Amino acid sequence: MTDHIRVRFAPSPTGSLHIGGARLVMYNVLFAHGEARREGKTGKFILRIEDTDRKRLIEGSAENLMEGLRWLGLNWDEGPDVGGPYAPYVQSERKHRYGEVAEQLVSEGKAYRCFCTPERLQEVREQQQREKLPPGYDRHCRNLSAEEVQAKLDAGEPHVIRFAMPLEGETIVPDLLRGDIVYQNDKIDDLVILKSDGFPTYHLAVVVDDHEMDITHVTRGPEWIPTAPLHVQLYKALGWEMPIFAHMPLILNPNGGKLSKRHGGVSLNDFREAGYLPEALINYMALLGWSLDGKTEIYTMDDLLQHFTLEKVSPSPSTFDRAKLDWLNAQWINHHISTEDLALRVMPWLIEAGMITEAPVNSDHPQYGTVVALTGLLKDRIHFLTEAPDLMSYFLIDELPDYDTALLVPKKMEAADALKVLHATSELLPNLNLDDHEQTEAAFRELAEGLEMKPGQVFMPIRVAATGRAQSPGLFDTLAAVGKERLIARIDLAREKLG
Ligand code: GLU
């Protein structure tokens, strides 16, 4: 290995970034910024946008993808937005280079012009199907004479450029995770490297870009293994040093197929909108196919930068386990980020729900202190950030939404009993300092004794009156956070409902 490591993520901006793509980015970052640097090498991670498949481009998806990766905390050293010494980092801006390389290969007899029409290719395919032959180009144009080619060019016939695969021998694709993968050359098609519109196919573009950007390790999805022999042959034909390939494993859905949108939201945006923390996603993605010791489950990005090694990723596919991810998300929310930090993550959701002032989310926000206090109170009950507005609602809004009156009456009690409790509470409240939990608790226990009821029987109507629900954090914390003024109004409302 060299003393510098350069890896890249090369998405096509054709839609939203899937968790599989995000995991590739994470591997690259951990490899370049963790493993390489631990070994005293320079490690750089490059983002390159592969936009040469012009038909599939989706406006805005590159920006969206970059935004999502930043949200995850995965940053690149060079890329379309941050620049770098190997710019441009957008393939369409390098178009002329691919044409030059393709022409060079043609002039050296290592690639050839193919004038076959789509109709002819279709006929070839159909014939192969009838004869039960493997599909592939029949190399019709590989043997055209120079004069024939010139005549077709003069006639302005559109053409592509195909790579002339060696017809004998074998090609070895060395893979960091899988060892040598061996292919018989005669089984490999003469694939198109330059399209008739002058744009390269993935195969040519990826080889030219990885070479010109001095990429040392190519991590990518396993779907590229079957065409990797072509890439190896292209490196040979061009006399370029090959990078190390690491075809990473797939993520499967629980039924064994490829994970897709049908199995719930699996794009980064979907997770973000569903209230997952980036830390939990990183933690989960790291555990898919990798483990430090077979038992540690919580990893911070720093832990991973300390310990992750690319070679230890298992090449076999892993199954997406949403329950595990959800568990990790709750673990992170409940135990692994500070209350202040969690409050800042909850605030955009509260703003969106219209529950706090629309103002920049930071510690200067007018309700920052309130939200921190509520977050401390409710932290253990939050599994997804999306749940926070509902859990915090009765603390933040003045008027409770209508609730079922029956909730006010505990089991084995009558409405009249609940009314007595609420009446006594109304009398007690003006003299109570709700911030003094000991005093409040003593007062309510005394109230229970006076009414000859159990504390639980007394607490229930008060809790429901204060919150509109049967469950809340500890009663005295809850009463203090609701505040005396609102509490008095809510007890009155409950008495009206019962009366
Ligand atoms: N643009 C390719 C893709 O999105 C990149 C594959 C690679 O990393 O080489 O699958």
Side-chain angles (χ1 to χ4, degrees):
M1 257 201 239
T2 52
D3 61 355
H4 74 285
I5 299 290
R6 292 177 55 82
V7 290
R8 86 300 185 275
F9 179 58
S12 309
T14 55
S16 49
L17 184 65
H18 181 274
I19 186 170
R23 187 173 61 148
L24 280 177
V25 177
M26 181 193 69
Y27 287 149
N28 280 323
V29 169
L30 294 178
F31 183 55
H33 296 169
E35 188 173 357
R37 293 181 186 177
R38 287 200 309 272
E39 291 170 6
K41 299 170 185 167
T42 56
K44 293 272 194 270
F45 167 50
I46 291 98
L47 180 69
R48 178 173 79 218
I49 301 295
E50 301 205 329
D51 61 344
T52 46
D53 192 348
R54 307 303 287 176
K55 287 186 225 93
R56 293 175 55 227
L57 297 188
I58 294 183
E59 189 70 36
S61 52
E63 290 70 26
N64 186 273
L65 175 145
M66 291 194 261
E67 227 269 291
L69 292 177
R70 290 231 159 80
W71 171 75
L72 269 183
L74 299 173
N75 295 303
W76 44 100
D77 304 296
E78 298 169 26
D81 55 339
V82 294
Y86 296 83
Y89 293 92
V90 176
Q91 250 172 10
S92 54
E93 294 170 25
R94 309 166 67 84
K95 189 178 165 197
H96 69 283
R97 266 309 280 151
Y98 312 114
E100 283 167 16
V101 173
E103 288 299 334
Q104 178 197 329
L105 288 169
V106 171
S107 69
E108 292 170 356
K110 294 168 181 166
Y112 60 93
R113 296 180 207 281
C114 168
F115 298 88
C116 290
T117 59
E119 294 74 32
R120 178 172 186 280
L121 294 175
Q122 177 64 22
E123 272 166 35
V124 171
R125 243 189 319 270
E126 283 167 9
Q127 184 167 358
Q128 285 165 341
Q129 272 168 3
R130 276 196 302 276
E131 295 174 16
K132 304 219 164 17
L133 292 169
Y137 179 58
D138 63 356
R139 303 197 162 102
H140 177 77
C141 292
R142 184 158 169 164
N143 303 313
L144 292 181
S145 68
E147 293 72 33
E148 285 170 304
V149 169
Q150 196 53 52
K152 285 176 185 290
L153 285 177
D154 291 344
E157 283 186 36
H159 69 281
V160 299
I161 294 180
R162 290 181 184 272
F163 185 70
M165 269 305 279
L167 299 173
E168 290 164 1
E170 55 186 32
T171 300
I172 297 174
V173 179
D175 184 288
L176 190 68
L177 306 188
R178 299 158 203 264
D180 285 353
I181 312 174
V182 183
Y183 286 87
Q184 299 306 313
N185 289 340
D186 60 357
K187 300 266 180 331
I188 301 171
D189 220 354
D190 285 357
L191 290 175
V192 175
I193 56 173
L194 201 75
K195 296 180 267 189
S196 54
D197 60 4
F199 275 96
T201 59
Y202 166 74
H203 311 298
L204 179 63
V206 74
V207 168
V208 171
D209 287 350
D210 286 342
H211 170 72
E212 296 201 340
M213 293 182 176
D214 196 18
I215 298 300
T216 58
H217 294 68
V218 168
T219 64
R220 59 183 176 188
E223 63 275 24
W224 299 111
I225 295 176
T227 45
L230 167 63
H231 310 147
V232 169
Q233 288 297 341
L234 274 165
Y235 278 102
K236 284 201 178 141
L238 291 162
W240 294 343
E241 194 186 332
M242 236 181 6
I244 292 171
F245 291 105
H247 291 97
M248 306 309 292
L250 219 54
I251 305 179
L252 302 179
N253 74 60
N255 306 326
K258 204 175 161 182
L259 185 67
S260 73
K261 218 160 167 82
R262 267 172 299 130
H263 305 95
V266 288
S267 79
L268 210 49
N269 289 341
D270 295 329
F271 289 112
R272 192 173 175 178
E273 283 164 18
Y276 289 87
L277 294 187
E279 288 88 343
L281 274 170
I282 292 277
N283 193 155
Y284 180 68
M285 295 191 299
L287 285 178
L288 276 177
W290 178 87
S291 164
L292 176 63
D293 53 12
K295 56 176 197 283
T296 307
E297 303 217 86
I298 304 293
Y299 292 96
T300 63
M301 189 66 188
D302 278 344
D303 296 335
L304 294 167
L305 286 166
Q306 289 285 323
H307 298 295
F308 176 86
T309 49
L310 192 62
E311 264 167 292
K312 266 189 72 185
V313 174
S314 156
S316 36
S318 18
T319 303
F320 182 68
D321 178 353
R322 191 174 285 270
K324 178 75 182 260
L325 170 61
D326 291 357
W327 176 81
L328 277 173
N329 201 53
Q331 288 294 309
W332 268 92
I333 290 177
N334 303 161
H335 308 297
H336 301 287
I337 65 172
S338 71
T339 302
E340 291 75 14
D341 186 357
L342 185 59
L344 292 172
R345 315 230 199 166
V346 157
M347 286 168 72
W349 298 91
L350 299 177
I351 291 177
E352 166 121 8
M355 287 166 46
I356 59 171
T357 312
E358 191 163 347
V361 171
N362 56 44
S363 55
D364 293 330
H365 186 285
Q367 282 134 306
Y368 171 72
T370 309
V371 179
V372 170
L374 294 180
T375 303
L377 212 53
L378 290 156
K379 210 172 167 173
D380 292 348
R381 294 166 191 258
I382 307 177
H383 309 96
F384 300 97
L385 296 178
T386 36
E387 296 168 345
D390 176 60
L391 288 170
M392 294 184 178
S393 63
Y394 52 84
F395 295 111
L396 292 169
I397 55 179
D398 285 330
E399 251 177 72
L400 290 183
D402 193 28
Y403 58 89
D404 183 0
T405 308
L407 289 178
L408 289 162
V409 186
K411 281 193 202 92
K412 297 190 197 145
M413 274 173 74
E414 303 292 325
D417 301 320
L419 258 178
K420 269 190 229 157
V421 170
L422 295 175
H423 179 76
T425 306
S426 292
E427 291 192 334
L428 190 63
L429 272 177
N431 307 316
L432 278 185
N433 171 11
L434 292 175
D435 291 326
D436 182 343
H437 293 196
E438 272 177 41
Q439 190 212 12
T440 317
E441 179 164 358
F444 280 108
R445 288 192 188 275
E446 207 175 293
L447 183 151
E449 261 170 51
L451 294 172
E452 295 183 355
M453 293 181 189
K454 293 195 194 105
Q457 292 177 311
V458 165
F459 294 171
M460 192 56 163
I462 300 174
R463 181 192 308 280
V464 174
T467 66
R469 11 189 130 184
Q471 262 121 34
S472 79
L475 181 64
F476 306 110
D477 287 326
T478 302
L479 298 184
V482 167
K484 195 187 276 190
E485 205 181 312
R486 278 201 202 122
L487 194 55
I488 292 175
R490 289 180 189 181
I491 300 284
D492 287 347
L493 173 76
R495 288 172 62 189
E496 256 171 58
K497 277 170 80 83
L498 282 168

